[in-house]
Amino acid sequence: MPKKLTVAEQAIVAKASQDLYQYEKTCEEHSAVLRKDLEGSTKAHQEYTANSNPMGFTPPRDEFDRYIEESEKVLKKECKTLLDHLHVVHAAYFLCRLLMRKMSEHGEHVYLEFIRRKVELDKQYPYVFPPESPSVVIPSEPAKSDYPLTLSARAFGSKEVMNLPRVSLEETDLIQYRRRPELLQRETFVSFNEDEAEYEAFRIPAFLTANQQKIFYVVYADEGPEAVAFSSINLFDLLRTSQRVM
């Protein structure tokens, strides 16, 4: 029987799930602006990387709250340039990673309820970007999930890819993958699982559109033949700290 949450834990879960939803929504909103101008976004990325922390940067645990406060201020700034939008995207992804890390410290029962609540928010309030505007539209009626959680996929072993050379992904790569997601189906990626303290290889054999959102299917090495559904936000959060097998 699942462990029951205390009143304090319920409050933590409610706030954290809403925060994560807002961070992801903000990220998608500003990413939509960047995708409209790949050349300009590339120049903005070059300027950003020359003056900012590298992708995947994680501060010391005792500084999480300070970094969260500073990053939330970035989300509230008015964006006048593509570089401004890129700063917001990075800040939002950064906040997602720190929040997920903080919530994992509350125990499995809290973390699982946090994820369940977040999934419910995604279903009830899917965010959609009209072609003429990056604004988010929140429908009044909950939306039902109409896509399979798993798909059959060709299994592969980690020995096939782990010794091959790899290259880190740049922001321009992520922008290109968002514009042409079919390119992901040609690649193999490797990420570091901090919980297991090991590298994991994965592929993306399929994707589809459901509830006006992209859903990607990820199969991990040595764990096939099923591919698991990932939202666009979760997949690109994973790709940000991954490497592409060459």
Side-chain angles (χ1 to χ4, degrees):
M1 183 176 179
K3 185 177 178 180
K4 188 175 181 180
L5 270 63
T6 66
V7 173
E9 288 172 336
Q10 290 176 11
I12 290 171
V13 165
K15 183 179 186 306
S17 59
Q18 291 170 10
D19 285 346
L20 184 60
Y21 175 85
Q22 291 298 328
Y23 296 157
E24 291 186 353
K25 183 182 73 172
T26 299
C27 184
E28 281 294 323
E29 181 178 26
H30 290 269
S31 293
V33 177
L34 294 170
R35 289 195 293 271
K36 293 179 180 179
D37 185 354
L38 182 58
E39 182 178 354
S41 297
T42 300
K43 293 179 181 178
H45 173 67
Q46 292 171 346
E47 184 175 349
Y48 178 90
T49 54
N51 300 285
S52 305
N53 288 319
M55 289 171 58
F57 166 75
T58 301
R61 179 61 184 85
D62 59 357
E63 294 187 31
F64 271 27
D65 290 341
R66 178 173 69 84
Y67 274 89
I68 288 174
E69 182 179 355
E70 292 177 356
S71 296
E72 287 183 334
K73 291 179 181 178
V74 175
L75 302 192
K76 298 176 183 178
K77 291 183 178 179
E78 181 183 0
C79 293
K80 298 180 179 180
T81 67
L82 288 177
L83 181 59
D84 292 337
H85 287 286
L86 188 58
H87 274 285
V88 172
V89 168
H90 278 273
Y93 268 117
F94 185 63
L95 285 164
C96 289
R97 289 196 297 110
L98 294 192
L99 180 58
M100 297 284 280
R101 181 73 65 83
K102 287 186 67 175
M103 290 304 295
S104 69
E105 297 171 357
H106 288 280
E108 183 178 9
H109 67 297
V110 174
Y111 188 80
L112 291 176
E113 180 62 15
F114 159 63
I115 295 299
R116 189 192 69 79
R117 294 273 191 94
K118 168 56 172 54
V119 170
E120 285 301 312
L121 287 174
D122 288 339
K123 292 178 180 179
Q124 292 175 20
Y125 308 112
Y127 28 92
V128 182
F129 305 103
E132 71 278 4
S133 169
S135 300
V136 174
V137 177
I138 299 181
S140 57
E141 293 295 328
K144 295 182 179 179
S145 174
D146 57 358
Y147 59 87
L149 297 180
T150 61
L151 290 178
S152 61
R154 187 180 74 83
F156 72 104
S158 57
K159 292 182 180 180
E160 298 178 34
V161 298
M162 282 304 188
N163 293 326
L164 298 176
R166 304 194 292 264
V167 61
S168 297
L169 296 175
E170 300 289 344
E171 188 68 29
T172 49
D173 296 318
L174 301 181
I175 293 172
Q176 184 75 339
Y177 287 145
R178 285 181 181 277
R179 295 182 68 176
R180 297 185 59 195
E182 69 275 9
L183 297 178
L184 290 165
Q185 296 174 283
R186 307 174 184 175
E187 309 287 5
T188 299
F189 302 94
V190 174
S191 64
F192 184 72
N193 185 324
E194 295 183 354
D195 294 332
E196 302 294 332
E198 64 181 14
Y199 286 95
E200 297 178 328
F202 64 93
R203 290 172 177 167
I204 304 161
F207 66 92
L208 55 81
T209 301
N211 299 330
Q212 298 180 301
Q213 298 182 63
K214 281 286 189 298
I215 303 297
F216 296 88
Y217 289 85
V218 176
V219 59
Y220 282 91
D222 306 319
E223 295 186 11
E226 284 191 332
V228 180
F230 274 56
S231 68
S232 178
I233 279 286
N234 289 338
L235 176 71
F236 280 88
D237 194 20
L238 174 63
L239 288 174
R240 277 181 173 274
T241 54
S242 299
Q243 297 176 311
R244 181 177 67 243
V245 176
M246 298 178 65

mmCIF file of all heavy atoms in Angstrom, residues 1 21 27 33 49 53 56 58 70-71 80 84 94-95 108 125 130 143 149 156-157 160 199 205 216 224 231 233:
data_model
loop_
_atom_site.group_PDB
_atom_site.id
_atom_site.type_symbol
_atom_site.label_atom_id
_atom_site.label_comp_id
_atom_site.label_asym_id
_atom_site.label_seq_id
_atom_site.Cartn_x
_atom_site.Cartn_y
_atom_site.Cartn_z
ATOM 1 N N MET A 1 0.846 -1.202 0.000
ATOM 2 C CA MET A 1 0.000 0.000 0.000
ATOM 3 C C MET A 1 0.878 1.247 0.000
ATOM 4 O O MET A 1 1.803 1.352 0.820
ATOM 5 C CB MET A 1 -0.907 -0.002 1.238
ATOM 6 C CG MET A 1 -1.866 1.183 1.287
ATOM 7 S SD MET A 1 -2.979 1.071 2.718
ATOM 8 C CE MET A 1 -3.893 2.589 2.484
ATOM 9 N N TYR A 21 5.036 22.808 -14.042
ATOM 10 C CA TYR A 21 4.173 23.069 -15.198
ATOM 11 C C TYR A 21 4.460 24.460 -15.763
ATOM 12 O O TYR A 21 4.599 24.640 -16.982
ATOM 13 C CB TYR A 21 2.705 22.955 -14.803
ATOM 14 C CG TYR A 21 1.755 23.330 -15.913
ATOM 15 C CD1 TYR A 21 1.384 22.402 -16.874
ATOM 16 C CD2 TYR A 21 1.264 24.630 -16.022
ATOM 17 C CE1 TYR A 21 0.531 22.754 -17.914
ATOM 18 C CE2 TYR A 21 0.413 24.984 -17.058
ATOM 19 C CZ TYR A 21 0.055 24.051 -17.992
ATOM 20 O OH TYR A 21 -0.783 24.395 -19.029
ATOM 21 N N CYS A 27 9.187 27.688 -20.975
ATOM 22 C CA CYS A 27 10.252 27.233 -21.871
ATOM 23 C C CYS A 27 9.726 27.000 -23.277
ATOM 24 O O CYS A 27 10.324 27.432 -24.259
ATOM 25 C CB CYS A 27 10.878 25.959 -21.309
ATOM 26 S SG CYS A 27 12.268 25.380 -22.273
ATOM 27 N N VAL A 33 9.458 30.999 -30.131
ATOM 28 C CA VAL A 33 9.971 32.231 -30.746
ATOM 29 C C VAL A 33 11.318 31.961 -31.416
ATOM 30 O O VAL A 33 11.570 32.390 -32.550
ATOM 31 C CB VAL A 33 10.117 33.343 -29.690
ATOM 32 C CG1 VAL A 33 10.714 34.602 -30.321
ATOM 33 C CG2 VAL A 33 8.774 33.660 -29.063
ATOM 34 N N THR A 49 26.632 31.346 -24.976
ATOM 35 C CA THR A 49 27.627 30.390 -24.488
ATOM 36 C C THR A 49 28.948 31.063 -24.141
ATOM 37 O O THR A 49 29.711 30.549 -23.327
ATOM 38 C CB THR A 49 27.876 29.285 -25.530
ATOM 39 O OG1 THR A 49 28.220 29.889 -26.793
ATOM 40 C CG2 THR A 49 26.654 28.425 -25.708
ATOM 41 N N ASN A 53 27.010 30.072 -17.956
ATOM 42 C CA ASN A 53 27.383 28.738 -17.504
ATOM 43 C C ASN A 53 27.109 27.725 -18.609
ATOM 44 O O ASN A 53 26.168 27.895 -19.392
ATOM 45 C CB ASN A 53 26.579 28.349 -16.253
ATOM 46 C CG ASN A 53 27.038 29.116 -15.021
ATOM 47 O OD1 ASN A 53 28.233 29.311 -14.810
ATOM 48 N ND2 ASN A 53 26.090 29.547 -14.205
ATOM 49 N N GLY A 56 23.936 22.006 -18.702
ATOM 50 C CA GLY A 56 24.099 20.923 -17.749
ATOM 51 C C GLY A 56 24.713 21.348 -16.434
ATOM 52 O O GLY A 56 24.905 20.526 -15.542
ATOM 53 N N THR A 58 25.203 22.386 -12.768
ATOM 54 C CA THR A 58 24.421 22.211 -11.549
ATOM 55 C C THR A 58 25.199 22.821 -10.390
ATOM 56 O O THR A 58 26.343 22.438 -10.142
ATOM 57 C CB THR A 58 24.161 20.720 -11.258
ATOM 58 O OG1 THR A 58 23.454 20.138 -12.362
ATOM 59 C CG2 THR A 58 23.320 20.557 -9.992
ATOM 60 N N GLU A 70 17.214 33.551 -8.433
ATOM 61 C CA GLU A 70 17.775 34.361 -9.512
ATOM 62 C C GLU A 70 17.183 33.962 -10.869
ATOM 63 O O GLU A 70 16.899 34.820 -11.710
ATOM 64 C CB GLU A 70 19.294 34.209 -9.534
ATOM 65 C CG GLU A 70 19.991 34.832 -8.324
ATOM 66 C CD GLU A 70 21.492 34.603 -8.339
ATOM 67 O OE1 GLU A 70 21.969 33.882 -9.253
ATOM 68 O OE2 GLU A 70 22.184 35.129 -7.457
ATOM 69 N N SER A 71 17.003 32.668 -11.090
ATOM 70 C CA SER A 71 16.480 32.189 -12.372
ATOM 71 C C SER A 71 15.020 32.572 -12.553
ATOM 72 O O SER A 71 14.583 32.878 -13.670
ATOM 73 C CB SER A 71 16.636 30.663 -12.468
ATOM 74 O OG SER A 71 18.005 30.300 -12.458
ATOM 75 N N LYS A 80 13.125 41.430 -25.467
ATOM 76 C CA LYS A 80 13.148 42.316 -26.628
ATOM 77 C C LYS A 80 13.996 41.748 -27.771
ATOM 78 O O LYS A 80 13.882 42.206 -28.908
ATOM 79 C CB LYS A 80 13.683 43.683 -26.226
ATOM 80 C CG LYS A 80 12.818 44.398 -25.186
ATOM 81 C CD LYS A 80 13.389 45.751 -24.830
ATOM 82 C CE LYS A 80 12.512 46.475 -23.817
ATOM 83 N NZ LYS A 80 13.063 47.809 -23.446
ATOM 84 N N ASP A 84 17.425 37.485 -25.322
ATOM 85 C CA ASP A 84 16.576 37.539 -24.132
ATOM 86 C C ASP A 84 15.720 36.270 -24.027
ATOM 87 O O ASP A 84 15.584 35.675 -22.959
ATOM 88 C CB ASP A 84 15.657 38.757 -24.179
ATOM 89 C CG ASP A 84 16.409 40.071 -24.056
ATOM 90 O OD1 ASP A 84 17.535 40.056 -23.506
ATOM 91 O OD2 ASP A 84 15.876 41.105 -24.507
ATOM 92 N N PHE A 94 16.794 25.109 -16.476
ATOM 93 C CA PHE A 94 17.604 25.046 -15.272
ATOM 94 C C PHE A 94 16.706 24.865 -14.042
ATOM 95 O O PHE A 94 16.969 24.032 -13.165
ATOM 96 C CB PHE A 94 18.420 26.331 -15.166
ATOM 97 C CG PHE A 94 19.401 26.370 -14.027
ATOM 98 C CD1 PHE A 94 20.453 25.468 -13.960
ATOM 99 C CD2 PHE A 94 19.286 27.322 -13.034
ATOM 100 C CE1 PHE A 94 21.362 25.516 -12.921
ATOM 101 C CE2 PHE A 94 20.187 27.384 -11.995
ATOM 102 C CZ PHE A 94 21.235 26.477 -11.933
ATOM 103 N N LEU A 95 15.622 25.625 -13.992
ATOM 104 C CA LEU A 95 14.679 25.522 -12.884
ATOM 105 C C LEU A 95 14.013 24.146 -12.848
ATOM 106 O O LEU A 95 13.794 23.588 -11.763
ATOM 107 C CB LEU A 95 13.619 26.618 -12.994
ATOM 108 C CG LEU A 95 14.091 28.021 -12.613
ATOM 109 C CD1 LEU A 95 13.111 29.078 -13.127
ATOM 110 C CD2 LEU A 95 14.255 28.144 -11.103
ATOM 111 N N GLU A 108 10.503 8.564 -2.271
ATOM 112 C CA GLU A 108 9.850 8.060 -3.481
ATOM 113 C C GLU A 108 8.355 8.345 -3.492
ATOM 114 O O GLU A 108 7.788 8.697 -4.534
ATOM 115 C CB GLU A 108 10.093 6.554 -3.613
ATOM 116 C CG GLU A 108 9.519 5.961 -4.890
ATOM 117 C CD GLU A 108 9.805 4.474 -5.016
ATOM 118 O OE1 GLU A 108 10.303 3.881 -4.042
ATOM 119 O OE2 GLU A 108 9.512 3.908 -6.082
ATOM 120 N N TYR A 125 -4.465 20.966 -18.944
ATOM 121 C CA TYR A 125 -4.175 22.277 -19.526
ATOM 122 C C TYR A 125 -3.020 22.204 -20.531
ATOM 123 O O TYR A 125 -1.949 22.747 -20.293
ATOM 124 C CB TYR A 125 -3.840 23.279 -18.421
ATOM 125 C CG TYR A 125 -4.867 23.339 -17.328
ATOM 126 C CD1 TYR A 125 -4.569 22.887 -16.049
ATOM 127 C CD2 TYR A 125 -6.144 23.840 -17.571
ATOM 128 C CE1 TYR A 125 -5.514 22.930 -15.036
ATOM 129 C CE2 TYR A 125 -7.101 23.883 -16.567
ATOM 130 C CZ TYR A 125 -6.777 23.428 -15.301
ATOM 131 O OH TYR A 125 -7.711 23.472 -14.315
ATOM 132 N N PRO A 130 -0.394 29.258 -31.195
ATOM 133 C CA PRO A 130 -0.906 29.621 -32.523
ATOM 134 C C PRO A 130 0.241 30.117 -33.403
ATOM 135 O O PRO A 130 1.222 30.671 -32.901
ATOM 136 C CB PRO A 130 -1.896 30.759 -32.224
ATOM 137 C CG PRO A 130 -2.225 30.619 -30.767
ATOM 138 C CD PRO A 130 -0.978 30.069 -30.141
ATOM 139 N N ALA A 143 -8.289 17.919 -21.120
ATOM 140 C CA ALA A 143 -8.042 17.113 -22.311
ATOM 141 C C ALA A 143 -7.648 15.699 -21.897
ATOM 142 O O ALA A 143 -6.946 15.501 -20.917
ATOM 143 C CB ALA A 143 -6.913 17.736 -23.138
ATOM 144 N N LEU A 149 1.216 4.758 -24.046
ATOM 145 C CA LEU A 149 2.352 5.059 -23.179
ATOM 146 C C LEU A 149 3.609 4.328 -23.624
ATOM 147 O O LEU A 149 4.721 4.751 -23.293
ATOM 148 C CB LEU A 149 2.020 4.703 -21.727
ATOM 149 C CG LEU A 149 0.862 5.494 -21.101
ATOM 150 C CD1 LEU A 149 0.635 5.041 -19.669
ATOM 151 C CD2 LEU A 149 1.142 6.986 -21.162
ATOM 152 N N PHE A 156 18.295 -2.807 -28.638
ATOM 153 C CA PHE A 156 19.724 -2.757 -28.980
ATOM 154 C C PHE A 156 20.534 -2.796 -27.689
ATOM 155 O O PHE A 156 20.038 -2.481 -26.601
ATOM 156 C CB PHE A 156 20.056 -1.520 -29.815
ATOM 157 C CG PHE A 156 20.029 -0.218 -29.062
ATOM 158 C CD1 PHE A 156 21.216 0.411 -28.683
ATOM 159 C CD2 PHE A 156 18.825 0.389 -28.718
ATOM 160 C CE1 PHE A 156 21.195 1.618 -27.997
ATOM 161 C CE2 PHE A 156 18.797 1.605 -28.044
ATOM 162 C CZ PHE A 156 19.979 2.209 -27.675
ATOM 163 N N GLY A 157 21.776 -3.204 -27.803
ATOM 164 C CA GLY A 157 22.627 -3.363 -26.629
ATOM 165 C C GLY A 157 23.598 -2.206 -26.468
ATOM 166 O O GLY A 157 24.025 -1.590 -27.451
ATOM 167 N N GLU A 160 26.917 -2.046 -28.388
ATOM 168 C CA GLU A 160 26.950 -1.607 -29.784
ATOM 169 C C GLU A 160 27.454 -0.177 -29.932
ATOM 170 O O GLU A 160 28.003 0.195 -30.973
ATOM 171 C CB GLU A 160 25.543 -1.679 -30.399
ATOM 172 C CG GLU A 160 24.919 -3.051 -30.464
ATOM 173 C CD GLU A 160 23.511 -2.991 -31.035
ATOM 174 O OE1 GLU A 160 23.267 -2.144 -31.919
ATOM 175 O OE2 GLU A 160 22.647 -3.760 -30.588
ATOM 176 N N TYR A 199 26.368 5.667 -17.396
ATOM 177 C CA TYR A 199 25.915 6.195 -18.680
ATOM 178 C C TYR A 199 24.866 5.262 -19.287
ATOM 179 O O TYR A 199 24.944 4.032 -19.152
ATOM 180 C CB TYR A 199 27.097 6.341 -19.643
ATOM 181 C CG TYR A 199 27.983 7.513 -19.307
ATOM 182 C CD1 TYR A 199 29.119 7.339 -18.517
ATOM 183 C CD2 TYR A 199 27.681 8.787 -19.763
ATOM 184 C CE1 TYR A 199 29.934 8.422 -18.196
ATOM 185 C CE2 TYR A 199 28.482 9.870 -19.446
ATOM 186 C CZ TYR A 199 29.610 9.682 -18.665
ATOM 187 O OH TYR A 199 30.394 10.757 -18.341
ATOM 188 N N PRO A 205 12.856 6.020 -31.669
ATOM 189 C CA PRO A 205 12.392 5.387 -32.913
ATOM 190 C C PRO A 205 11.109 5.954 -33.497
ATOM 191 O O PRO A 205 10.803 5.713 -34.660
ATOM 192 C CB PRO A 205 12.190 3.930 -32.483
ATOM 193 C CG PRO A 205 11.849 4.014 -31.028
ATOM 194 C CD PRO A 205 12.673 5.157 -30.492
ATOM 195 N N PHE A 216 7.263 11.819 -27.917
ATOM 196 C CA PHE A 216 8.399 11.057 -28.440
ATOM 197 C C PHE A 216 8.520 9.731 -27.686
ATOM 198 O O PHE A 216 8.234 9.662 -26.491
ATOM 199 C CB PHE A 216 9.695 11.858 -28.287
ATOM 200 C CG PHE A 216 9.719 13.127 -29.086
ATOM 201 C CD1 PHE A 216 9.217 14.306 -28.555
ATOM 202 C CD2 PHE A 216 10.257 13.154 -30.357
ATOM 203 C CE1 PHE A 216 9.232 15.490 -29.283
ATOM 204 C CE2 PHE A 216 10.279 14.326 -31.105
ATOM 205 C CZ PHE A 216 9.765 15.493 -30.561
ATOM 206 N N GLY A 224 15.020 -2.890 -24.233
ATOM 207 C CA GLY A 224 13.939 -3.054 -25.185
ATOM 208 C C GLY A 224 13.148 -4.320 -24.887
ATOM 209 O O GLY A 224 13.455 -5.038 -23.950
ATOM 210 N N SER A 231 7.138 13.429 -23.080
ATOM 211 C CA SER A 231 6.651 14.707 -23.594
ATOM 212 C C SER A 231 7.817 15.433 -24.248
ATOM 213 O O SER A 231 8.989 15.116 -24.008
ATOM 214 C CB SER A 231 6.082 15.559 -22.467
ATOM 215 O OG SER A 231 7.112 15.971 -21.582
ATOM 216 N N ILE A 233 8.920 18.404 -23.661
ATOM 217 C CA ILE A 233 9.729 19.059 -22.630
ATOM 218 C C ILE A 233 10.684 18.076 -21.992
ATOM 219 O O ILE A 233 11.884 18.340 -21.841
ATOM 220 C CB ILE A 233 8.807 19.680 -21.553
ATOM 221 C CG1 ILE A 233 8.272 21.021 -22.032
ATOM 222 C CG2 ILE A 233 9.557 19.889 -20.253
ATOM 223 C CD1 ILE A 233 9.285 22.136 -22.015
#
